[in-house]
Amino acid sequence: MTMLDLGTPPPTRPRERILPMINVAFLLLIMVVMLAEFTAPAPFDVIPPESAREDRAGREMVLFIRADGAMNFRGVAGEETVFAKLAAICGSAGCGPDAVLSIKADQDLSGVVFARVLGRLQSVGFDRVEIVTVLP
Amino acid sequence: MSLDLGTAPLRRRLSLTPMIDIVFLLIVFFMLAAGFSPDMRLNVSTGGAGVTGYSGPPRLVDIHADKILLNGIETPRPELADALSRLVEGREDAIVLRANAPARLGDLTRVIDLLTAAGFTGLVLVE
């Protein structure tokens, strides 16, 4: 019977293979950065109504309305100051159809209050608004 | 006179562990800071320029918390789009929506969603 020559044993690697782990971590990082949206945090918690629409909402002008009717626009709180700021944006000529205000309002906000807000928005020059919704 | 600098330090291999720490910290930071559920939108007019050209029969949708009235007649939700399409000439014609006291924004958006899905684009919300 002949002896099987297995050769010399391979040299042991003193360091663990850490490079693939870094690759995976970087891939994860890139994926998170690409998939995510970064927006300024909401001034208060708002649960938008649900809708099956899949048109992305704008993020430039967002008016937040809480369930109790409290408003916030670009860090300005209070209905009168918010509308003063919105009127200043529109100017005296009105905003026209291109300026679209996104309204991120709570689903429990009273519909009558919401309609009144839209009426005031029209008076400061906004013809069209978009209601921010989330997918169910 | 000679300066004794001591023995030369051993060359150490660069440790990758702090780098992984940083990368994982970055991942955790981005995952916490980012939002993964994008905001969608429903378009609605405030009753400004969009309704100047109103024509045809009245199209007033009264939205209550538990029912919908089309021109004062209670209309089941699945039949609303069909009933309205008989009252318009084109899908861009103005349709007036009115919220009534107990109705919440969620009730409004369900109707707006329904009508948007049916192709109506001239939705006007009034008090």
Side-chain angles (χ1 to χ4, degrees):
Chain A
M1 191 176 162
T2 55
M3 281 286 285
L4 199 64
D5 184 15
L6 292 173
T8 51
T12 52
R13 297 185 68 89
R15 291 167 54 82
E16 67 269 40
R17 300 290 303 258
I18 220 163
L19 219 58
M21 191 175 160
I22 301 178
N23 287 347
V24 171
F26 267 111
L27 277 179
L28 271 176
L29 185 64
I30 292 167
M31 190 195 78
V32 169
V33 171
M34 287 187 74
L35 284 183
E37 284 189 352
F38 298 94
T39 46
F44 35 66
D45 279 341
V46 166
I47 304 167
E50 290 182 352
S51 154
R53 298 283 94 204
E54 292 196 20
D55 304 321
R56 291 286 184 98
R59 285 185 287 170
E60 275 110 56
M61 289 198 291
V62 185
L63 170 64
F64 291 89
I65 311 179
R66 213 164 52 188
D68 61 3
M71 290 182 186
N72 195 299
F73 177 72
R74 291 182 176 170
V76 174
E79 184 165 342
E80 296 310 318
T81 33
V82 164
F83 274 104
K85 195 173 171 82
L86 287 169
I89 286 172
C90 266
S92 55
C95 268
D98 291 334
V100 179
L101 180 71
S102 306
I103 302 182
K104 193 164 187 173
D106 197 282
Q107 59 178 355
D108 286 330
L109 175 70
S110 156
V112 178
V113 172
F114 186 73
R116 186 177 54 77
V117 171
L118 287 201
R120 283 200 73 178
L121 284 173
Q122 194 246 318
S123 67
V124 296
F126 287 95
D127 290 336
R128 299 197 70 84
V129 296
E130 54 188 34
I131 305 170
V132 172
T133 59
V134 289
L135 291 170
Chain B
M1 185 180 142
S2 69
L3 197 65
D4 184 15
L5 293 173
T7 53
L10 284 170
R11 277 183 73 89
R12 295 177 58 188
R13 296 187 62 172
L14 192 67
S15 172
L16 290 171
T17 316
M19 186 177 165
I20 300 178
D21 285 347
I22 302 261
V23 171
F24 271 109
L25 274 179
L26 278 174
I27 291 178
V28 171
F29 166 76
F30 279 120
M31 287 187 77
L32 289 177
F36 287 98
S37 58
D39 288 337
M40 300 304 168
R41 65 161 191 249
L42 285 169
N43 287 319
V44 66
S45 170
T46 57
V51 284
T52 47
Y54 191 97
S55 65
R59 298 176 287 270
L60 173 65
V61 181
D62 267 305
I63 301 166
H64 295 258
D66 52 347
K67 62 185 175 185
I68 302 166
L69 306 182
L70 173 58
N71 293 333
I73 302 162
E74 187 169 348
T75 309
R77 192 177 293 268
E79 294 168 23
L80 182 65
D82 279 342
L84 269 170
S85 53
R86 287 193 288 274
L87 298 174
V88 295
E89 290 154 16
R91 294 274 156 173
E92 65 287 349
D93 280 0
I95 295 169
V96 181
L97 310 175
R98 188 168 64 187
N100 288 271
R104 299 167 305 134
L105 179 65
D107 302 313
L108 256 64
T109 49
R110 268 194 291 281
V111 176
I112 296 170
D113 195 19
L114 182 82
L115 296 179
T116 308
F120 296 107
T121 54
L123 304 177
V124 184
L125 192 62
V126 298
E127 285 184 75

